[in-house]
Amino acid sequence: MFENYKVFKTEIAGRPLVVETGKVAGLANGSCLVRYGETSILATATASAKPRDGIDFLPLSVDFDER
């Protein structure tokens, strides 16, 4: 079902670190779900197919939502 699904696991300071990619946020250009102990984050990145005219810098935005 998920052809590009990959899981990377290791242990750091006695807690499991798990990185999963290819399963969530399929419309983003890249995404990963990272879990360390009981903490989880979803990191995604998107990009346009071509540069916009008149933009000579890297527009960056960060959204943070604590639950």
Side-chain angles (χ1 to χ4, degrees):
M1 183 173 197
F2 298 104
E3 297 172 5
N4 297 324
Y5 178 63
K6 294 182 182 174
V7 178
F8 303 95
K9 297 179 182 181
T10 190
E11 189 171 306
I12 299 175
R15 295 181 179 170
L17 174 67
V18 181
V19 179
E20 300 178 34
T21 184
K23 194 170 185 180
V24 294
L27 295 177
N29 295 102
S31 67
C32 65
L33 179 63
V34 181
R35 292 179 297 176
Y36 180 61
E38 296 180 10
T39 303
S40 300
I41 67 160
L42 172 64
T44 60
T46 59
S48 61
K50 59 181 181 172
R52 294 186 303 188
D53 293 334
I55 302 293
D56 61 351
F57 62 95
L58 175 66
L60 177 66
S61 65
V62 176
D63 296 324
F64 176 77
D65 186 10
E66 184 174 350
R67 297 182 187 193

